[in-house]
Amino acid sequence: MTFQYRGKRILVTGGAGFLGSHLCERLLDVGAEVLCVDNYFTGRRGNIAHLLGNPLFEAMRHDITVPLFVEVDAIFNLACPASPIHYQLDPVATTKAIVHGSINMLGLAKRLKCRILQASTSEVYGDPEIHPQPETYWGHVNPIGPRACYDEGKRCAETLFFDYRRQHNLPIKVMRIFNTYGPRMHENDGRVVSNFIVQALQGRPITIYGSGNQTRSFCYVDDLIGGALGLMKTDVDVTGPINIGNPGEFTMLELAETIVRLTNSSSTIEHLPLPQDDPQQRRPDITLARNTLGWEPTISLEEGLGRTIAYFDRQLGLQQA
């Protein structure tokens, strides 16, 4: 049985974050009532300020490492710091947010007998030995490295979701998110798109870690949210994991050169040492998403970067005013 959003009460954890705020907005657009839960560790009130006047929207400050007792019809579990700078700041707290948070949200879903979607990540593939990465690939992850709090935390969360499915017949959905960008990203979150754009707009050197030949795939946020909404609506037998990302693949040098051109910047490129366990390649195989959800991204890198550059240009202008 598929799921309809109109008239349903939907819980979005991490709802004031980059992805969460866009998801809350889209859910309201399709007639859902939204409960946004966030502890504001990386989420920002400014991301949801424009939603607060909507009578179908409610914002609650809460840390999901503590159990939550509410009545909802479905849960999108997005709560977790997602950039290396943020999740490595307090790695123990990161693991707790992912693992304890997942246990609490799964417990809530079990009590309510409602479907729940886990925002997992392409980081479960680690530094992949298979390219592009299909959902059947088990990954190549360092379990004790500086990224492990996030990588292994998300892998453990997937384990919990599937064990709740097997043990309690819980209707789960697992979405593996590949690099996503767009308005409302943190300007200082350390991720490559926001880093490059801010540096280019300010005329500072663009910092590339390593040779710049490592590759990533970049999905614009509107496309990603469309995939999440589509996955949640599927029949209960469709659990995932499903890759949601853009299969276009670009080197860091190509990305930097594109951003310099689009911003008409005078920035030069500066190379810094590559961080430990940084993946050399990352590209989703989205065959399953195409076949199961009828989903694929539609927004090109240049179009998405143009929108994101305009957002950061406004933000930086406000900060300087």
Side-chain angles (χ1 to χ4, degrees):
M1 184 177 66
T2 57
F3 182 81
Q4 300 300 321
Y5 293 109
R6 183 166 296 278
K8 298 292 177 59
R9 191 164 198 239
I10 313 296
L11 167 60
V12 179
T13 72
F18 162 47
L19 295 181
S21 62
H22 284 277
L23 177 59
C24 289
E25 196 171 62
R26 288 278 287 276
L27 286 166
L28 291 168
D29 287 344
V30 295
E33 182 180 345
V34 176
L35 173 59
C36 164
V37 167
D38 206 297
N39 69 350
Y40 300 106
F41 177 65
T42 57
R44 296 188 283 194
R45 289 180 181 81
N47 288 341
I48 56 170
H50 64 297
L51 304 178
L52 293 174
N54 190 321
L56 296 180
F57 181 78
E58 178 183 357
M60 176 190 295
R61 181 169 190 150
H62 181 83
D63 188 326
I64 65 164
T65 60
V66 177
L68 178 65
F69 300 98
V70 293
E71 303 298 319
V72 294
D73 299 301
I75 303 167
F76 285 88
N77 187 35
L78 275 64
C80 179
S83 73
I85 282 180
H86 292 146
Y87 69 64
Q88 291 175 1
L89 183 65
D90 188 341
V92 172
T94 296
T95 304
K96 286 181 177 179
I98 301 170
V99 178
H100 292 184
S102 292
I103 291 169
N104 287 332
M105 290 304 104
L106 286 163
L108 177 62
K110 178 189 170 189
R111 179 177 70 83
L112 298 174
K113 298 181 174 59
C114 74
R115 55 182 64 197
I116 178 170
L117 182 146
Q118 167 67 2
S120 191
T121 172
S122 61
E123 297 296 336
V124 300
Y125 299 122
D127 189 3
E129 297 170 316
I130 294 177
H131 191 74
Q133 293 80 57
E135 292 86 350
T136 52
Y137 176 50
W138 288 356
H140 179 226
V141 175
N142 177 359
I144 59 170
R147 300 169 68 101
C149 59
Y150 185 74
D151 301 1
E152 294 287 36
K154 290 287 189 177
R155 286 163 68 94
C156 181
E158 288 196 11
T159 300
L160 285 163
F161 268 70
F162 279 91
D163 282 339
Y164 266 78
R165 169 70 173 174
R166 285 184 284 262
Q167 192 168 337
H168 303 296
N169 199 32
L170 193 67
I172 66 161
K173 311 286 177 182
V174 175
M175 171 177 66
R176 288 179 178 164
I177 298 172
F178 282 69
N179 288 57
T180 304
Y181 69 99
R184 301 183 203 148
M185 295 181 80
H186 271 278
E187 59 273 9
N188 60 348
D189 71 358
R191 286 188 276 195
V192 64
V193 171
S194 51
N195 266 11
F196 286 4
I197 289 176
V198 170
Q199 289 167 344
L201 287 172
Q202 294 179 337
R204 295 187 283 123
I206 290 181
T207 51
I208 290 182
Y209 295 94
S211 67
N213 291 318
Q214 63 270 39
T215 65
R216 294 292 185 274
S217 299
F218 302 101
C219 186
Y220 188 67
V221 61
D222 288 0
D223 283 331
L224 185 284
I225 298 303
L229 292 171
L231 177 55
M232 180 65 98
K233 285 179 65 173
T234 54
D235 187 273
V236 291
D237 290 333
V238 178
T239 61
I242 291 185
N243 291 336
I244 301 293
N246 193 316
E249 187 176 11
F250 301 89
T251 68
M252 296 301 94
L253 283 169
E254 288 172 331
L255 178 67
E257 290 163 358
T258 301
I259 289 173
V260 167
R261 174 169 55 81
L262 292 175
T263 55
N264 194 29
S265 175
S266 60
S267 292
T268 57
I269 290 175
E270 177 181 295
H271 290 267
L272 297 175
L274 194 67
Q276 182 182 341
D277 300 328
D278 193 60
Q280 289 300 304
Q281 294 179 305
R282 189 61 62 72
R283 177 189 172 197
D285 180 334
I286 63 167
T287 303
L288 188 58
R290 285 192 180 109
N291 293 342
T292 305
L293 310 179
W295 176 89
E296 61 184 319
T298 60
I299 297 170
S300 70
L301 181 64
E302 289 217 4
E303 182 183 355
L305 285 176
R307 298 181 192 180
T308 311
I309 288 165
Y311 167 80
F312 277 113
D313 201 20
R314 288 192 301 272
Q315 292 300 108
L316 293 172
L318 289 171
Q319 291 173 14
Q320 293 165 4

